[in-house]
Amino acid sequence: MAATAGAFEHVPSASPGLLQLLRGAEVFAPAPLGTCDVLLAAGKIAAIARQLPALPPELAGEEHDLRGRRLVPGLIDAHVHLIGGGGEAGPSTRVPPVGLSQLSRAGITTVVGVLGTDGTTRTVADLVARTLGLRDEGLSAYCYTGSYELPVPTLTGSVRRDLVYIDPIIGVGELALSDHRSSQPTLDELLRVAADAHVGGMMANKAGIVHLHMGDGLRGLDLVRRALDTSELPPRVFHPTHVNRNRRLFAEAGELVARGCSVDVTAFPPEDDPGDSLYAADAIDRWIAQGLPVSRLTCSSDGAGCMPVFDAHGHICAMDVGRPTTLSDTLTELLARGHDLAVVLPIFTSNVAGLLRLSHKGRLTPGADADLVVLDDHGHIAGVIARGRWLIRGGQTVVCGPFERSAT
């Protein structure tokens, strides 16, 4: 079949391409470094300085003038349904998989894939395959083993073996608590999964966390508190998400971080009726205003996840789909409200990297991966570099996945 006219470039591998010298950007690493030049080489950040010398003509390379722009680490989204979520109202409600450009347009250079309610027709094997595919397309991609349910669906038959032997798998998720769609786990069941995740993570030098889907149930975070009370597991193992889905749960999350846990707010689509929930920007506003530790907060998009609304009988009465772009939209909204970029940026970058033990991600420093986002004057995405390759340039998508097509 002939190539489609106007189709984007497809990247068959993650080759870093030319040397890149980025000139004169206001750099946030995420701490502010002032106006700097940044040199990228072999998919890494090679140097950051007030002024770097020009590239020698004998070296293949490019210089880019970024004066007047802000340069930040690539965003890390720790919760995306890479092969699609949904299915709670039958096969026709299965959400399609996520394409590369859907992530890059959101400034996401590192992504973690999850399964949701459906661990039956969607499998960990499918998720791992899509994760590896995104790596081939130029993104940094990881995933969790498991889904909402217990026993935990795995690839090898064991949580520990999945962590030790399957490279992209870095933890368990999203295991559901306080939700009518969960397996209604007991304390002992949660502790067994968390112990396997923790020890498997130690053996594989990975995060080994349990990423917990939190529902609207009245039990809230009670099971997590009891797990901390009755076990020796470190608090960092438990990472509850969707904690902004109602105000009661958000208040519980604020108390939980005092015990050493990190919690995650979800960037719900802005057109959704918030009801008792908090939009991500509102939740982060409130978190900062209450003096809660920003270092314990992360934000994710729930991209390609189905966001159903249930009635009192458990029937779906409305449905929306999460979009990766809500992650960058939340950052833009926070900047529009006057928040300091250096304060809120870690919620989307270094906090996530630290929790997931991705030491080469989330910061702009020599030796780190060359994952960078260029922000315009209004905080919108103007450029995205993933592992040294431009995916978005001048606000336009220049690289996409093999099955994506140009809109023209």
Side-chain angles (χ1 to χ4, degrees), residues 117-407:
T117 309
D118 183 5
T120 303
T121 71
R122 300 185 190 277
T123 68
V124 176
D126 291 335
L127 180 59
V128 169
R130 180 65 190 124
T131 302
L132 294 173
L134 281 169
R135 289 185 176 188
D136 284 348
E137 293 169 29
L139 219 62
S140 295
Y142 304 87
C143 62
Y144 299 118
T145 192
S147 68
Y148 276 19
E149 67 190 85
L150 289 175
V152 176
T154 64
L155 187 57
T156 66
S158 158
V159 167
R160 291 194 190 190
R161 285 197 293 270
D162 275 12
L163 278 159
V164 170
Y165 293 120
I166 310 301
D167 176 60
I169 293 177
I170 58 174
V172 176
E174 56 173 318
L175 180 64
L177 300 183
S178 301
D179 194 300
H180 66 95
R181 295 165 291 175
S182 80
S183 293
Q184 309 303 318
T186 65
L187 175 61
D188 285 345
E189 288 173 328
L190 175 61
L191 288 174
R192 178 59 58 85
V193 172
D196 284 344
H198 173 55
V199 176
M202 293 174 63
M203 294 172 67
N205 194 26
K206 296 178 180 178
I209 65 168
V210 182
H211 186 64
L212 294 165
H213 164 99
M214 299 306 305
D216 279 313
L218 292 177
R219 289 178 293 174
L221 287 161
D222 177 65
L223 208 55
V224 178
R225 289 191 294 269
R226 291 166 58 198
L228 296 176
D229 289 340
T230 58
S231 79
E232 300 77 26
L233 291 168
R236 67 167 301 278
V237 171
F238 301 99
H239 186 224
T241 188
H242 313 321
V243 299
N244 53 321
R245 72 181 314 133
N246 62 58
R247 286 163 170 77
R248 170 184 46 79
L249 183 62
F250 187 72
E252 287 186 68
E255 296 169 357
L256 189 67
V257 298
R259 304 188 64 173
C261 293
S262 292
V263 299
D264 187 65
V265 297
T266 301
F268 299 118
E271 62 271 20
D272 282 2
D273 179 2
D276 188 41
S277 67
L278 293 164
Y279 289 132
D282 295 333
I284 295 168
D285 260 344
R286 183 171 297 197
W287 191 273
I288 294 172
Q290 292 175 350
L292 294 168
V294 174
S295 63
R296 296 291 184 186
L297 187 64
T298 63
C299 184
S300 61
S301 72
D302 206 358
C306 182
M307 297 183 173
V309 178
F310 296 94
D311 64 20
H313 304 288
H315 299 137
I316 291 180
C317 52
M319 186 182 302
D320 201 349
V321 175
R323 297 187 295 276
T325 51
T326 59
L327 190 68
S328 55
D329 290 345
T330 299
L331 176 59
T332 301
E333 174 64 21
L334 290 167
L335 297 180
R337 295 183 185 188
H339 285 281
D340 186 342
L341 178 58
V343 172
V344 297
L345 185 58
I347 297 168
F348 306 86
T349 56
S350 57
N351 289 358
V352 196
L355 176 70
L356 301 181
R357 293 188 171 173
L358 303 176
S359 59
H360 52 303
K361 301 292 184 183
R363 296 183 183 276
L364 302 186
T365 187
D369 285 354
D371 297 337
L372 308 98
V373 168
V374 182
L375 299 177
D376 67 15
D377 294 341
H378 302 289
H380 296 293
I381 304 296
V384 175
I385 299 173
R387 289 155 54 188
R389 185 185 295 272
W390 288 90
L391 303 183
I392 306 286
R393 185 183 293 181
Q396 301 298 314
T397 302
V398 294
V399 175
C400 74
F403 300 108
E404 295 180 303
R405 290 290 181 265
S406 169

